[in-house]
Amino acid sequence: MKNMIYRSSVGDLDLSKITRLYPAVVVDLNGEVAEMSLEWAELYGEKVKLKSYILVFDFTPVHEEKKNRTILEFKTKDELMSAMQEVSQFFQN
């Protein structure tokens, strides 16, 4: 079996147990902090203060209410894209 352990800044993540993996941004909208999609940020980003880029590793089993997520935070979109490329290598043939 292929090694699926991604060594991240917050610890080792077992990618074989991921149920969802997605990039997003954290924004400040009039004092409210929220997670938004990258697509949303590209369309409406000028209306909010962008705080950081994130890569969300969701290990929550389907139909489970309690969330089990690990979030990696990045200052730039380039850093996020680089991490996404590293993670994608684990899913290549």
Side-chain angles (χ1 to χ4, degrees), residues 56-87:
V56 180
F57 297 79
D58 192 343
F59 299 97
T60 308
V62 178
H63 306 296
E64 185 81 23
E65 288 191 33
K66 185 178 178 198
K67 299 292 183 202
N68 179 11
R69 303 184 330 164
T70 299
I71 298 174
L72 300 183
E73 193 168 1
F74 306 94
K75 292 182 180 177
T76 68
K77 187 176 181 179
D78 287 342
E79 290 174 346
L80 168 65
M81 293 300 166
S82 178
M84 288 174 54
Q85 194 157 28
E86 285 177 21
V87 171

Side-chain angles (χ1 to χ4, degrees), residues 14-21 56-60 87 91:
D14 185 351
L15 300 180
S16 69
K17 296 183 179 175
I18 278 188
T19 54
R20 291 187 341 146
L21 173 67
V56 180
F57 297 79
D58 192 343
F59 299 97
T60 308
V87 171
F91 298 98

Side-chain angles (χ1 to χ4, degrees), residues 31-45:
E32 294 291 324
V33 176
E35 230 179 74
M36 306 304 269
S37 72
L38 285 179
E39 294 82 10
W40 185 94
E42 289 173 4
L43 292 172
Y44 306 106

